Amino acid sequence: MIVVDDVYKRYQTDHGPGKWVLQGVSFTIPPKLNVGLVGCNGAGKSTLLRLIGGIDTPNRGRIERHCRVSWPMGFGGGLQGSLTGRQNAKFVSRIHGHEDDIPERIAYIQEFADLGDAFDEPVKTYSSGMKSRLHFGLSLAFDFDVYISDEVTATGDAAFRTKAAAAFKELTGHASLIMVSHGEGTLKQFCTAGIWLNEGKAHWFDDVRDALGAYKDSQTVSEPVSITFGQSGDNAEQIEKEAEQARRLEAVLEMLQQGKNGTPVCVEFEEFKGVVQTAKKAGIELASEGQIAKRGYQLKPDELPVLRRRAPEPINKLVDLYDLHTQCVKAKKE
């Protein structure tokens, strides 16, 4: 059982304490129950997973874990960049008390992560997707009562996504799952209950379909009309337009701040262009690893993505994005 009691969470920004991501969140997850987290981008889904998994701590409130909980599968941190994938696997095996069967554990992790020769290369040379696959294999190599997944089913190629889905099915009956996924079908397939995160609050639903319904309804509610007295119509419209731009910029900066804290938000393909344009206004140029190389740059060591973009159908995989100006350096010419 996991108890989340009156939890508050916000992050420190360059301008002081940021907005509350979670405010007074409380719920109890019973044993052997699969739960899906839903909500818009920046609602705090990945933040909540990090808190439940013990990767981060709340500013206020408490989280009780009366069971063994995995770290979030898909979380990009926690690996020693100068060590190889094999060496990281050996280190984690020892931490979990598996000194006697390390070869078997490493063999499982290597086969599942399917990194090829890269398994014996330093982790700092991995892409974020490769790190996520290694984390996934590491998590499944050990017995937990609760496994936490953050968009793992969107990691890698179709073959790996099929392997991930099969692994989740095998957990049924002896362990439970808490997961974030932008795929509605994935949540319906693996989860029974749902938690809808909205404006810092958590709403519990015994049926994940009701949680998805509440989330969809919240997206179709029209915005309230703003009435400003004592101003001409044109002036009022301009003020409202500028206020909307400021709100959009604040939302994007909040998403990117979550990425800098290790929990990159996933943006749907249709939203991506608007996010890129808004980020540029703040001096942030988002680029994928391929775009970074084409521009003659390379990533600094151990950099984590500040954002993730979902590729359009039928590819439907996640693309990691970085800030070209702060996370990259000019590539050295051969």
Side-chain angles (χ1 to χ4, degrees):
M1 181 172 68
I2 298 173
V3 178
V4 177
D5 182 24
D6 199 27
V7 163
Y8 286 74
K9 182 64 182 179
R10 65 181 175 187
Y11 294 101
Q12 193 72 19
T13 71
D14 295 337
H15 308 289
K19 292 174 57 179
W20 289 109
V21 180
L22 302 174
Q23 302 180 66
V25 168
S26 297
F27 55 82
T28 299
I29 301 179
K32 303 287 180 70
L33 181 69
N34 290 355
V35 181
L37 271 57
V38 301
C40 63
N41 291 326
K45 302 184 296 295
S46 294
T47 296
L48 182 56
L49 283 188
R50 284 166 56 89
L51 295 175
I52 292 174
I55 301 297
D56 205 348
T57 56
N59 298 95
R60 287 155 49 186
R62 63 189 177 89
I63 297 177
E64 296 181 2
R65 305 170 193 83
H66 303 281
C67 53
R68 283 171 50 84
V69 182
S70 79
W71 51 83
M73 292 183 277
F75 168 62
L79 298 171
Q80 174 52 251
S82 61
L83 299 180
T84 66
R86 185 183 303 277
Q87 290 168 333
N88 271 280
K90 185 180 292 186
F91 177 71
V92 173
S93 296
R94 285 174 173 159
I95 288 178
H96 284 275
H98 288 277
E99 190 78 36
D100 296 338
D101 60 351
I102 284 180
E104 290 81 1
R105 300 284 168 173
I106 291 179
Y108 175 87
I109 295 165
Q110 182 176 12
E111 187 278 330
F112 199 96
D114 195 19
L115 298 172
D117 294 339
F119 192 64
D120 290 303
E121 297 292 332
V123 168
K124 64 184 178 183
T125 65
Y126 289 11
S127 67
S128 293
M130 293 168 69
K131 291 178 184 177
S132 294
R133 290 162 67 151
L134 179 56
H135 264 292
F136 196 5
L138 282 167
S139 295
L140 293 176
F142 306 101
D143 293 327
F144 294 103
D145 300 309
V146 179
Y147 291 85
I148 300 178
S149 167
D150 192 352
E151 286 286 1
V152 166
T153 52
T155 298
D157 55 21
F160 187 82
R161 293 198 297 271
T162 300
K163 184 189 291 187
F168 284 152
K169 288 180 181 178
E170 290 179 7
L171 295 177
T172 304
H174 70 272
S176 57
L177 179 67
I178 303 172
M179 75 182 308
V180 167
S181 174
H182 281 76
E184 182 176 324
T186 299
L187 293 173
K188 289 180 178 179
Q189 179 182 3
F190 295 110
C191 301
T192 302
I195 297 173
W196 171 43
L197 290 174
N198 184 50
E199 297 182 350
K201 305 293 184 182
H203 308 272
W204 177 274
F205 294 86
D206 291 331
D207 191 325
V208 71
R209 291 171 296 183
D210 294 333
L212 289 165
Y215 167 56
K216 288 180 180 177
D217 290 343
S218 73
Q219 302 300 294
T220 58
V221 175
S222 59
E223 292 293 324
V225 177
S226 176
I227 302 176
T228 307
F229 294 98
Q231 296 176 334
S232 67
D234 291 343
N235 193 27
E237 287 179 8
Q238 180 62 27
I239 290 174
E240 180 59 30
K241 181 179 179 181
E242 292 176 357
E244 176 59 30
Q245 290 174 344
R247 286 194 291 268
R248 190 178 300 120
L249 178 60
E250 183 180 11
V252 170
L253 290 177
E254 185 175 331
M255 283 195 289
L256 297 178
Q257 185 61 46
Q258 286 197 43
K260 290 179 181 178
N261 290 323
T263 56
V265 172
C266 175
V267 176
E268 296 301 318
F269 180 74
E270 294 77 10
E271 306 173 67
F272 177 63
K273 185 176 180 181
V275 171
V276 169
Q277 292 174 343
T278 302
K280 271 191 174 181
K281 294 178 181 178
I284 300 169
E285 189 168 357
L286 298 171
S288 66
E289 293 180 56
Q291 292 168 333
I292 291 168
K294 286 182 180 179
R295 295 281 296 274
Y297 288 81
Q298 63 185 36
L299 274 174
K300 296 177 183 177
D302 299 326
E303 289 291 340
L304 297 176
V306 293
L307 200 70
R308 282 175 174 163
R309 169 178 65 82
R310 185 181 297 281
E313 298 286 355
I315 301 173
N316 199 35
K317 72 174 184 179
L318 298 183
V319 178
D320 295 325
L321 301 162
Y322 303 84
D323 182 1
L324 190 67
H325 301 303
T326 63
Q327 295 183 285
C328 304
V329 294
K330 273 287 187 182
K332 295 179 180 179
K333 294 184 178 180
E334 299 294 337

